């Protein structure tokens, strides 16, 4: 890795460039990643873990999403393609463990809900086949446990509950579920379900006004009771109260070029990690204090090569490692906190 300082008017910053050689669709491609920090940051926050996974040949499809079971040190990758395993399971060190393909059509989002009492994997499926337009719960070994929605049939109904291209979900340790429904489908909404799958509240419809969405693509929840939604088509993040669903604020000043496709918190909740798909960029954004959403402030960026296309990501709650599902490069990569950055 080559590192160098850049100084402007007496203010200096450290840049690091890492050039890797890898293959996409059989053709050799040189990939350059630049790790950039702003003028006031003394440390680079993340570095690429070049040893994860140990063997990338297991990525045989288009990698759409990734989940981390931090309690057990497992990483789940969901990919699309014909006649391939849809879910791959790795250790946090990059060793391949197993794969499963049961009742998965076209995965879009994946989440690992892990407590001392239960480990489960949730997948949003946007396929047009008999398993599509659903949110499904699996055991860690791939056994189907629960299906939400009407399999194979898209819709907007609430009784019974229906989905149309559900994008992603977040499951709290309490069992409450937050689903963003509408990756280009009929619906543009955020739904909160209780642990027994009753609807607690629903927000959103298609539009650009407050609490409306245009492709709500990712959702996460912080420890202070705020729900953060990547409103991709409207180029903003909207924030809601997790108890009432009330809109608390909006960030749009950081996403002028392109809307966010993924949003997750670091373990200490000092930062949000935000992906922008077509810009092939990850941003480290300062999290606001309780009671003040304020304005978005980017602390650091990781600029990937063109057409890498980071789709969704996950952050390990224990180690702070970032796992990024790249639909252009057809792989998942791991970024770990740089030495000196304490979570």
């Amino acid at each position: 890795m080559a590192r160098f300082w850049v100084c402007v008017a007496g203010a200096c910053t450290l840049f690091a460039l890492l050039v890797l050689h890898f293959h996409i669709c059989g053709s050799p491609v040189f990939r350059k990643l630049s790790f950039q920090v702003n003028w006031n940051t003394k440390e680079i926050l993340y570095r690429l873990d070049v040893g994860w996974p140990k063997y990338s040949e297991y990525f045989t499809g288009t990698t759409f999403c990734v989940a981390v079971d931090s309690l057990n040190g497992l990483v789940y990758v969901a990919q699309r393609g014909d006649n391939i395993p849809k879910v791959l399971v790795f250790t946090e060190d990059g060793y391949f463990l197993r794969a499963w393909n049961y009742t998965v059509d076209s995965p879009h989002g994946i989440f690992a809900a892990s407590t001392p009492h239960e480990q489960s994997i949730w997948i949003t499926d946007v396929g047009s086949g008999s398993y599509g337009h659903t949110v499904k719960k699996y055991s860690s070994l791939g056994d189907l446990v629960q299906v939400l929605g009407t399999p194979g049939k898209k819709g907007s109904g609430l009784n019974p509950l229906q989905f149309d291209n559900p994008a992603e979900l977040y499951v709290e340790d309490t069992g409450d579920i937050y689903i963003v429904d509408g990756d280009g489908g009929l619906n543009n909404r955020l739904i909160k379900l209780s642990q027994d799958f009753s609807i607690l509240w629903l927000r959103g419809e298609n539009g650009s006004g407050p609490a409306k969405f245009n492709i709500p693509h990712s959702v996460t929840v912080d420890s202070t009771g705020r729900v953060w939604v990547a409103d991709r088509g409207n180029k903003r993040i909207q924030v809601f109260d997790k108890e009432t669903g009330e809109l608390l604020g909006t960030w749009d000043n950081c996403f002028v070029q392109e809307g966010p496709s993924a949003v997750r918190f670091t373990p200490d909740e000092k930062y949000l990690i935000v992906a922008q798909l077509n810009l092939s960029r990850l941003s480290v954004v300062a999290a606001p204090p309780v009671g003040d959403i304020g304005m978005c402030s980017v602390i650091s960026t990781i600029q990937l090569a063109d057409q890498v296309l980071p789709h969704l990501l996950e952050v390990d709650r224990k180690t702070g490692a970032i796992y990024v599902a790249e639909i252009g490069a057809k792989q998942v990569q791991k970024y770990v906190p740089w030495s000196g950055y304490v979570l």
Side-chain angles (χ1 to χ4, degrees):
M1 176 179 295
R3 288 190 280 170
F4 57 92
W5 288 92
V6 174
C7 299
V8 177
C12 298
T13 187
L14 178 65
F15 283 68
L17 293 180
L18 173 63
V19 179
L20 298 177
H21 181 268
F22 71 108
H23 289 76
I24 300 178
C25 301
S27 300
V29 177
F30 284 98
R31 178 178 176 189
K32 181 174 70 175
L33 302 99
S34 67
F35 298 77
Q36 176 180 346
V37 294
N38 73 355
W39 304 121
N40 298 319
T41 303
K42 295 182 179 180
E43 297 285 351
I44 297 173
L45 297 186
Y46 293 95
R47 62 176 177 83
L48 180 66
D49 183 346
V50 296
W52 200 99
K54 300 300 181 183
Y55 301 100
S56 60
E57 291 81 3
Y58 290 106
F59 299 137
T60 53
T62 304
T63 49
F64 267 76
C65 47
V66 58
V68 179
D69 175 356
S70 58
L71 193 64
N72 296 290
L74 300 176
V75 180
Y76 294 80
V77 176
Q79 58 180 2
R80 295 188 200 173
D82 296 328
N83 303 314
I84 63 169
K86 297 297 177 63
V87 179
L88 310 173
V89 187
F90 297 86
T91 68
E92 61 183 4
D93 296 325
Y95 292 99
F96 176 77
L97 292 180
R98 57 184 175 269
W100 39 274
N101 196 35
Y102 310 111
T103 67
V104 181
D105 190 351
S106 294
H108 188 279
I110 187 170
F111 188 86
S114 182
T115 70
H117 308 291
E118 181 186 35
Q119 289 80 47
S120 57
I121 306 301
W122 291 81
I123 293 176
T124 62
D125 198 324
V126 299
S128 57
S130 57
Y131 303 120
H133 303 295
T134 56
V135 176
K136 291 171 286 195
K137 178 183 180 181
Y138 295 87
S139 73
S140 59
L141 296 177
D143 299 318
L144 182 62
V145 176
Q146 181 72 42
V147 178
L148 304 179
T150 307
K153 185 178 181 181
K154 62 184 178 182
S156 302
L158 300 178
N159 188 19
L161 183 60
Q162 293 179 303
F163 301 105
D164 185 8
N165 291 350
E168 200 196 39
L169 77 162
Y170 187 94
V171 183
E172 289 193 282
D173 289 343
T174 61
D176 289 347
I177 306 167
Y178 303 82
I179 303 169
V180 280
D181 179 27
D183 183 38
L186 296 170
N187 307 322
N188 283 274
R189 60 192 185 181
L190 166 65
I191 303 173
K192 180 179 181 180
L193 303 178
S194 66
Q195 57 185 325
D196 63 358
F197 313 123
S198 300
I199 297 176
L200 297 178
W201 50 257
L202 183 152
R203 293 293 178 269
E205 59 182 79
N206 186 41
S208 58
K212 295 183 179 181
F213 299 110
N214 180 8
I215 309 180
H217 200 262
S218 180
V219 59
T220 194
V221 182
D222 67 25
S223 62
T224 66
R226 299 178 294 189
V227 184
W228 300 73
V229 178
D231 187 6
R232 180 177 162 190
N234 284 325
K235 298 183 178 181
R236 64 189 181 186
I237 289 177
Q238 296 198 75
V239 189
F240 299 83
D241 183 281
K242 80 169 190 177
E243 300 298 336
T244 65
E246 174 190 1
L247 179 66
L248 299 177
T250 300
W251 279 355
D252 56 11
N253 57 298
C254 288
F255 312 112
V256 176
Q257 291 178 281
E258 185 193 9
S261 63
V263 58
R264 283 292 188 270
F265 277 93
T266 57
D268 57 11
E269 296 192 353
K270 289 183 179 179
Y271 306 107
L272 292 93
I273 309 299
V274 179
Q276 289 170 284
L277 179 72
N278 294 305
L279 291 178
S280 291
R281 177 185 299 162
L282 305 179
S283 295
V284 181
V285 183
V290 178
D292 181 21
I293 300 303
M295 298 289 285
C296 175
S297 176
V298 176
I299 302 300
S300 175
T301 60
I302 301 173
Q303 183 60 56
L304 310 180
D306 290 344
Q307 301 305 311
V308 167
L309 307 180
H311 184 247
L312 289 171
L313 61 85
E314 189 56 274
V315 177
D316 189 316
R317 294 184 186 183
K318 279 189 175 181
T319 68
I322 305 169
Y323 295 85
V324 185
E326 303 168 348
I327 61 175
K330 296 184 178 181
Q331 64 181 358
V332 169
Q333 295 214 91
K334 178 182 181 181
Y335 296 85
V336 296
W338 194 268
S339 176
Y341 168 42
V342 180
L343 294 170

